[in-house]
Amino acid sequence: MRDDCTSLERLLHDYAEGWLEAAEQGRLTRHLEGCFNCQEKLKAWSAVGRALRELPCLPAPAPASVTPVNEGEPEFALRLALAMCLPVALMITAYSRQWRPPEWEQLMPYESLLRLTERAQDWVITLWIWLRGVL
Amino acid sequence: MKLDDATLVAQCLQGDTRAFDTLVERYRDRVFSLAFRILGEASAAEDAMQEAFLRAYTRLPLYDPAQPFSTWLLCLTARVCLNARRDRATELRYLEQAAKATPPAPTVEERLYEREQRRTLQRLLMRLPAAQRTAMLLYYYEELPLAQVARALEVPEGTVKTWLYRGRESLRRWLEEELG
Ligand SMILES: [Zn+2]
């Protein structure tokens, strides 16, 4: 790097942002025309700026409070109640018949089930990121 | 029909709290993202987001409609984050929380943030001094004008320029070191 490049660095940054007076702007343009180092530095800076601009927006965690049932939509409460009926009915049936789940351990060993769930979580995350990118 | 921010703010000032809920819904991801990028931690960012919206609600009468609501809200968020960092008590609380044995299994969201944190740029951003990082994020990531950034951080524009220069040069150097 040439000697004056180091002393020009701060000016070069302001030049890149368009903060300089016309006279200084001209001086930097002339320097840049003959200086490969400063050209490279400008490119690297603009890459950093671009990377910052392109940082993805992250989804905020869902509010801790349960979403209140909207008073304006009685349908929602009805749908919720109906949706709750099915698992409750299943639970009552299962309890009354002393029903037990089939032998999961034999069908699928615990280890492979764990691995499968972990992979499923990764899919969900990937799908999530993709969906947020699309929407 | 989608109401614009100005209308929602006006409705809110007339006492319609639902209008504010709509604004929260509209900006929560952006506020959270900025907070996460300044603080580098999901739970601290969540607290900062709550605080920012609470402050926005109570200070809404002071909001100047000449500037966009988003600018005002994001600047307010940046200040909340910087204050949270200065607040040693809060910091100690997070350290205590972190030290607690057997943390619960991470949720999908937490895994997302962990993954994000592992990404080089966010990690390198955390190496910058907090004020410098915040200036970088407001200027480049949120693309706010220089004057707004200076006002949000309560420093002269010249200081912001210096921070932006130093921050960008540090990131360039570290990225080159990391990526070879
Ligand atoms: Zn040069």
Side-chain angles (χ1 to χ4, degrees):
Chain A
M1 197 183 270
R2 281 193 279 159
D3 272 349
D4 58 344
C5 290
T6 321
S7 60
L8 280 179
E9 196 177 88
R10 171 61 205 269
L11 273 181
L12 186 70
H13 182 265
D14 288 10
Y15 170 86
E17 293 294 336
W19 293 332
L20 291 185
E21 305 281 317
E24 280 178 320
Q25 197 89 3
R27 185 178 144 214
L28 261 288
T29 310
R30 279 193 299 283
H31 174 86
L32 268 168
E33 277 164 5
C35 184
F36 178 73
N37 280 321
C38 286
Q39 286 173 19
E40 286 301 298
K41 179 145 277 186
L42 273 190
K43 270 187 222 159
W45 278 344
S46 84
V48 171
R50 199 166 48 242
L52 285 171
R53 261 188 292 277
E54 285 169 2
L55 279 170
C57 187
L58 298 164
S65 60
V66 183
T67 318
V69 176
N70 197 335
E71 291 161 5
E73 288 178 50
E75 258 190 12
F76 177 76
L78 193 67
R79 263 182 280 158
L80 187 72
L82 280 173
M84 292 299 286
C85 282
L86 188 66
V88 168
L90 271 174
M91 272 165 64
I92 293 171
T93 319
Y95 185 73
S96 62
R97 297 201 181 164
Q98 293 290 300
W99 182 76
R100 291 284 176 274
E103 297 294 324
W104 277 105
E105 274 293 302
Q106 281 173 20
L107 279 173
M108 184 179 272
Y110 183 66
E111 285 295 306
S112 63
L113 188 71
L114 206 65
R115 241 174 289 137
L116 198 71
T117 7
E118 273 178 2
R119 202 174 302 165
Q121 280 181 8
D122 274 344
W123 288 337
V124 170
I125 292 176
T126 317
L127 189 72
W128 181 299
I129 293 169
W130 180 77
L131 272 175
R132 292 204 73 88
V134 167
L135 296 180
Chain B
M1 193 183 73
K2 207 173 166 227
L3 295 171
D4 62 11
D5 291 354
T7 314
L8 287 168
V9 168
Q11 286 180 353
C12 188
L13 286 172
Q14 280 161 15
D16 181 359
T17 51
R18 279 198 191 179
F20 194 75
D21 289 345
T22 311
L23 285 170
V24 170
E25 205 44 54
R26 191 171 288 176
Y27 285 109
R28 60 199 307 276
D29 286 358
R30 251 180 102 181
V31 166
F32 177 80
S33 295
L34 178 64
F36 178 81
R37 299 203 182 283
I38 295 173
L39 298 166
E41 208 219 349
S43 64
E46 202 180 337
D47 284 358
M49 176 179 71
Q50 306 277 4
E51 172 78 23
F53 279 124
L54 188 72
R55 230 184 259 193
Y57 185 75
T58 51
R59 292 188 187 187
L60 203 58
L62 299 174
Y63 160 65
D64 172 14
Q67 61 171 322
F69 177 74
S70 60
T71 304
W72 182 71
L73 181 64
L74 292 166
C75 288
L76 194 148
T77 305
R79 273 196 299 272
V80 167
C81 290
L82 285 177
N83 286 338
R85 272 189 54 86
R86 284 190 205 113
D87 189 354
R88 274 298 289 165
T90 327
E91 227 164 276
L92 284 174
R93 190 158 57 84
Y94 287 126
L95 286 178
E96 262 173 27
Q97 271 177 6
K100 270 179 195 160
T102 57
T107 63
V108 174
E109 298 264 348
E110 277 164 353
R111 287 181 56 172
L112 235 172
Y113 303 135
E114 276 170 25
R115 201 172 281 201
E116 178 72 26
Q117 207 157 21
R118 260 182 265 128
R119 282 200 194 133
T120 314
L121 191 56
Q122 178 64 36
R123 194 163 38 78
L124 294 181
L125 264 174
M126 293 311 291
R127 277 206 225 158
L128 293 174
Q132 229 180 74
R133 175 170 62 248
T134 309
M136 298 279 286
L137 288 165
L138 288 178
Y139 188 75
Y140 292 110
Y141 180 58
E142 296 297 349
E143 298 185 45
L144 296 188
L146 190 71
Q148 288 286 359
V149 179
R151 215 185 307 162
L153 301 177
E154 291 159 340
V155 292
E157 279 185 32
T159 309
V160 177
K161 285 181 181 173
T162 306
W163 284 347
L164 292 176
Y165 157 63
R166 287 200 192 136
R168 196 142 75 146
E169 175 56 12
S170 302
L171 284 182
R172 181 200 65 79
R173 210 174 44 243
W174 295 334
L175 276 168
E176 249 163 45
E177 279 166 18
E178 295 249 340
L179 308 172

